[in-house]
Amino acid sequence: MNSKWKGKSLISLNDLAEEEFGQIFELSATLKSKLKKGIPHRMLEGKTLGMIFSKPSTRTRISFEVGIYQLGGIGMFFNQNDLQLKKSENIADTAKVLSRFLDGIMIRTFDHQDVIDLAKSASIPIINGLTDLMHPCQVLADLFTILEKKKTLKGLKLAFVGDGNNMAHSLLHGCAKVGMDISVASPVGFHPNEQIVHETMETAKSTGSKIEILVDPIKAVKDADVVYTDVWASMGQESESSKRKKIFKPYQVNENLIKHAKSDYLFMHCLPAHRGDEVVNEVADSSNSVIFDEAENRLHVQKAIMALVM
Ligand code: CP
Ligand code: NVA
């Protein structure tokens, strides 16, 4: 294994070099094929991954736990509320203590800065399993899925329709790094974070990606190879749900909107989906939809990440 990966944290896709995406995808494909053929690949024999969650999860928790087990290690789940973390113990002390027990930590929490702070004081790799700002593991699995289906990434156009949220942010970072074009359409007041858009534009200067931040969903979806959406109210925003339903209605991915994409478009969603809100069943269950392939690829891609950094 390439030693430059060992001990590295994965917090933002903006921290990865373009060729590192390729290295992750190559190992993901190898591990996926070994699993399908029943070939053992116990690259993390005896290692322990701690998994800290302060938000619910189906895919992230289960794919990391199954993934570390298949690699010969063990995963330990911690509900953040059960830890002393941020109650009677600060993040730095927690990071130092956990570094004495564990070989890596995957964390899902609210404040992105907490993950940065954890990594600063830990001597083991920290993997971001979603913050209010980013969801890098999901986007690595998504890009790997696009690569599997389309055989290339460079020059493809991805349209993200909906809230300028953590998914939009990691898609912006990720698409720019791999040379994909990305158009994000959101209602006024719900556009992606300006700093992230700036970082994306900077990356695009060297990779040649075209970046568009729009209001019009039809313009975003026009001739797109991939159409992506996500919930209108993310975890922690549940109280805004009914207000957002009205604002985001024109951003629903339905047959009227999707007809503007290329005929061989892929429909993607990180899931969980609120069917009937951001996407209708006719699109989510169509033959263009790859939502369950994306979910499966969380397992293969995260195994590659763990095998590289732990
Ligand atoms: N896509 C995703 O991260 O799903 P979970 O919230 O179920 O982990
Ligand atoms: N934007 C969603 C993604 C869930 C995987 C959320 O943060 O709730």
Side-chain angles (χ1 to χ4, degrees):
M1 201 58 57
N2 189 335
S3 62
K4 86 176 171 56
W5 281 97
K6 288 288 163 222
K8 208 171 155 165
S9 289
L10 175 62
I11 297 176
S12 163
L13 294 184
N14 199 44
D15 300 335
L16 291 181
E18 192 186 345
E19 66 271 14
E20 291 175 325
F21 283 79
Q23 289 162 16
I24 292 171
F25 298 151
E26 206 175 302
L27 183 56
S28 306
T30 303
L31 294 176
K32 184 169 182 174
S33 144
K34 283 192 173 166
L35 183 71
K36 303 270 175 197
K37 291 181 189 148
I39 302 170
H41 44 281
R42 298 171 69 85
M43 299 167 76
L44 295 179
E45 191 75 56
K47 300 232 172 165
T48 307
L49 176 79
M51 307 187 299
I52 303 174
F53 283 88
S54 58
K55 288 176 177 176
S57 169
T58 297
R59 280 144 288 270
T60 305
R61 177 178 177 178
I62 297 172
S63 55
F64 268 103
E65 198 159 337
V66 170
I68 184 77
Y69 175 74
Q70 291 176 355
L71 290 168
I74 180 168
M76 295 183 76
F77 172 84
F78 306 105
N79 181 330
Q80 190 168 330
N81 296 329
D82 299 335
L83 300 176
Q84 307 281 16
L85 178 59
K86 286 194 94 181
K87 292 192 285 285
S88 62
E89 193 164 34
N90 67 30
I91 293 181
D93 286 355
T94 305
K96 286 173 191 153
V97 171
L98 293 182
S99 298
R100 302 283 178 114
F101 301 136
L102 302 167
D103 301 291
I105 295 172
M106 191 284 302
I107 178 164
R108 163 170 291 194
T109 194
F110 292 87
D111 190 350
H112 189 75
Q113 189 60 42
D114 287 354
V115 180
I116 295 173
D117 292 344
L118 192 67
K120 256 186 212 145
S121 298
S123 53
I124 53 174
I126 306 298
I127 301 172
N128 178 358
L130 181 146
T131 63
D132 285 349
L133 199 64
M134 297 179 198
H135 199 1
C137 293
Q138 177 70 52
V139 170
L140 285 168
D142 296 337
L143 294 174
F144 179 66
T145 308
I146 300 169
L147 186 60
E148 281 186 323
K149 305 283 176 194
K150 297 279 183 195
K151 311 294 173 212
T152 184
L153 293 174
K154 264 205 190 316
L156 295 181
K157 175 183 175 179
L158 183 143
F160 180 89
V161 182
D163 189 19
N165 62 12
N166 44 11
M167 280 308 311
H169 295 155
S170 287
L171 283 166
L172 279 162
H173 275 155
C175 288
K177 289 274 178 173
V178 301
M180 280 174 69
D181 298 342
I182 174 165
S183 298
V184 177
S186 320
V188 174
F190 295 89
H191 279 138
N193 173 293
E194 280 181 16
Q195 172 64 26
I196 287 180
V197 173
H198 173 74
E199 289 164 1
T200 301
M201 300 277 191
E202 284 301 303
T203 303
K205 282 183 191 164
S206 58
T207 60
S209 298
K210 195 172 143 213
I211 316 297
E212 285 184 317
I213 307 297
L214 306 167
V215 174
D216 182 358
I218 296 177
K219 189 163 180 227
V221 169
K222 179 116 190 58
D223 295 328
D225 299 280
V226 181
V227 178
Y228 204 117
T229 191
D230 184 17
V231 291
W232 293 337
S234 286
M235 290 180 275
Q237 298 173 330
E238 289 80 3
S239 65
E240 296 177 26
S241 193
S242 58
K243 183 189 96 184
R244 282 172 173 254
K245 268 189 197 198
K246 291 187 197 96
I247 299 170
F248 282 90
K249 190 76 192 160
Y251 293 81
Q252 182 183 69
V253 180
N254 53 32
E255 284 152 317
N256 268 335
L257 182 61
I258 210 78
K259 69 175 187 229
H260 298 280
K262 285 196 181 144
S263 58
D264 61 347
Y265 77 90
L266 299 177
F267 172 71
M268 302 185 89
H269 192 310
C270 55
L271 305 179
H274 293 172
R275 288 166 176 262
D277 285 347
E278 74 272 7
V279 63
V280 297
N281 288 339
E282 290 72 14
V283 174
D285 299 326
S286 71
S287 56
N288 297 72
S289 174
V290 295
I291 56 179
F292 300 114
D293 299 304
E294 294 175 78
E296 179 191 329
N297 281 334
R298 294 291 302 277
L299 172 69
H300 310 301
V301 168
Q302 289 161 191
K303 280 167 73 181
I305 296 164
M306 288 189 281
L308 286 165
V309 303
M310 281 174 67

